[in-house]
Amino acid sequence: MAAATATATAAEEEARLLRLEEQAEQGGGGAWEYLSLARRLRARRPAPVLRLGLSLLNDASARSRLASEQWTLYEQVAVAAMDCQRLDVAKDCIGVLSKQFPGSARVGRLEALLFEAKGDWAEAERAYALILENNPFDQIVHKRKIAIAKAQGDMSLAVDYLNKYLELYKQAAFCYEELILAQPTIPLYHLAYAEVLYTLGGLENLQTAKKYYASTVQLTGGKNTRALFGVCLCSAAISQLTKGRNKEEESSELQSLAAEALMKDYKQRAPSMEALVAGMLKNMKLS
């Protein structure tokens, strides 16, 4: 029943997106609502996103009304422009973001993606290397480096990058284990350790990650949203791997409590996101 409801909700959201797209493209308004929904659904519709996004960015009055959300739109349009090979537009958008947020790793990733879009693999590699100097555990950058190697047909290098990526996380896991042993009441260490294990994947790592997400929830009095999501994500992944054979009552109760706490949190702090979170939990078969 939950799966069917989630599927129906997703279909309704997709239909709404298409209606908004048609309405906005025909000049009936709703461009920002469409672009916001496209981001939330992670819908890959670069051509209309580019057209409608530019129509807002090129309108000084509309851009002003967006206030700080205009920077999100610049990013969205930059990515759509790269997908459409409008690299001139992407460059302009990234330039604006770079000026507004100098030294930002997020903007740095966009700059590297632009090099990728141009086929300038060496410059993209250099840009990603700079980001990793400041944050060696940037998952997105490691995955992009693997993608670059595959795009060039160098599977040996891709495997090498993948192994280095996994080794980094294994080293990080060991470090967090030592930190937790030394200072067991610091929730940040529990959360970081859980996220490293979740990234590594595999049934044993996921089961341990779930325990440390749970300990983070306990140490923060149930107020850490990332940890609550972590419990839910681990529960869903474990269920998928075990094909429903994981029937521990305590585990089932924990994931139900985490899902309930998340819904309560979003209802109080971000009611506009409540339906989205409910749909996500239903997709994970946790509500």
Side-chain angles (χ1 to χ4, degrees):
M1 177 67 74
T5 303
T7 300
T9 301
E12 288 169 5
E13 292 277 62
E14 178 67 23
R16 179 173 167 239
L17 181 72
L18 294 176
R19 285 196 302 272
L20 282 170
E21 182 180 302
E22 183 178 5
Q23 173 186 309
E25 291 269 41
Q26 292 179 358
W32 176 245
E33 186 181 358
Y34 166 75
L35 292 163
S36 298
L37 183 59
R39 278 199 311 277
R40 180 160 66 82
L41 298 180
R42 297 184 179 181
R44 200 174 183 91
R45 301 189 64 77
V49 165
L50 179 60
R51 285 193 296 271
L52 296 171
L54 278 178
S55 71
L56 291 178
L57 291 178
N58 290 333
D59 182 332
S61 177
R63 193 172 66 245
S64 177
R65 286 195 298 272
L66 291 176
S68 63
E69 289 188 291
Q70 68 179 285
W71 313 121
T72 301
L73 182 56
Y74 272 110
E75 181 181 31
Q76 187 178 14
V77 170
V79 173
M82 284 186 270
D83 282 347
C84 295
Q85 281 299 299
R86 285 294 309 277
L87 305 187
D88 55 329
V89 174
K91 182 180 178 181
D92 289 344
C93 289
I94 295 169
V96 171
L97 290 169
S98 183
K99 185 176 180 180
Q100 180 67 23
F101 305 103
S104 163
R106 190 174 183 126
V107 177
R109 286 195 292 266
L110 286 174
E111 291 170 340
L113 281 171
L114 182 57
F115 285 128
E116 283 192 59
K118 293 176 180 177
D120 194 340
W121 310 119
E123 284 299 321
E125 285 272 11
R126 276 191 282 273
Y128 286 134
L130 285 173
I131 296 171
L132 290 176
E133 283 181 10
N134 294 316
N135 181 12
F137 300 106
D138 190 313
Q139 294 184 43
I140 296 174
V141 169
H142 281 289
K143 290 175 181 177
R144 291 314 312 162
K145 282 170 66 69
I146 294 166
I148 287 174
K150 290 171 69 175
Q152 295 178 88
D154 193 339
M155 295 308 297
S156 176
L157 183 60
V159 170
D160 183 50
Y161 281 156
L162 181 58
N163 285 331
K164 287 178 180 176
Y165 171 58
L166 293 174
E167 188 57 37
L168 273 173
Y169 276 85
K170 289 176 183 176
Q171 291 173 15
F174 173 77
C175 291
Y176 285 122
E177 286 174 359
E178 294 297 308
L179 286 169
I180 290 169
L181 285 172
Q183 296 176 296
T185 60
I186 297 181
L188 178 62
Y189 296 158
H190 290 248
L191 179 62
Y193 183 44
E195 293 189 335
V196 167
L197 291 171
Y198 179 79
T199 300
L200 286 170
L203 183 57
E204 185 176 345
N205 284 332
L206 288 169
Q207 289 170 333
T208 306
K210 185 174 178 179
K211 290 177 183 177
Y212 279 90
Y213 278 126
S215 64
T216 305
V217 172
Q218 184 178 20
L219 289 168
T220 58
K223 295 180 180 179
N224 190 298
T225 304
R226 286 172 65 181
L228 290 169
F229 262 120
V231 170
C232 295
L233 288 169
C234 286
S235 297
I238 290 168
S239 178
Q240 182 67 27
L241 287 174
T242 59
K243 303 299 182 184
R245 296 192 300 275
N246 189 53
K247 298 292 185 181
E248 300 174 20
E249 289 186 14
E250 183 180 347
S251 177
S252 178
E253 183 181 2
L254 174 61
Q255 62 199 46
S256 296
L257 288 172
E260 184 180 330
L262 270 175
M263 290 305 303
K264 183 178 179 181
D265 185 39
Y266 274 90
K267 186 174 184 178
Q268 291 176 343
R269 296 198 301 158
S272 63
M273 299 289 289
E274 187 181 356
L276 175 63
V277 175
M280 289 172 59
L281 294 174
K282 285 178 181 177
N283 282 333
M284 289 189 277
K285 300 181 181 178
L286 298 176
S287 67

